[in-house]
Amino acid sequence: FCKEGITPPVDEREMRLLASDASSPYVHKFSFSDAGKTFYYRLRWENSRGEAGPWSAFISGVVTG
């Protein structure tokens, strides 16, 4: 899950699903228009029955260009 913006999300409802991946690592490619923008991420595992695990801590990063 991720959110673009200056301020970090308050909870997961502000975030959108970026991807669901069955293997690591997951690589997301940004466009040139995203350079300089901050993205906030929060991750969680999901088992084969669709049961979600606990949320990770918030992680942020700035897209370099």
Side-chain angles (χ1 to χ4, degrees):
F1 289 80
C2 74
K3 176 192 176 201
E4 172 196 335
I6 298 170
T7 58
V10 176
D11 63 38
E12 297 79 33
R13 292 175 290 188
E14 295 181 51
M15 304 179 87
R16 65 179 174 87
L17 178 64
L18 179 62
S20 182
D21 192 16
S23 62
S24 294
Y26 172 75
V27 177
H28 176 78
K29 295 184 180 182
F30 291 94
S31 67
F32 288 111
S33 64
D34 290 326
K37 294 179 181 176
T38 301
F39 284 82
Y40 297 90
Y41 300 93
R42 200 153 193 206
L43 312 174
R44 67 194 292 181
W45 290 103
E46 187 176 280
N47 67 21
S48 60
R49 295 182 299 275
E51 299 166 335
W55 285 103
S56 71
F58 283 105
I59 303 162
S60 66
V62 176
V63 179
T64 59

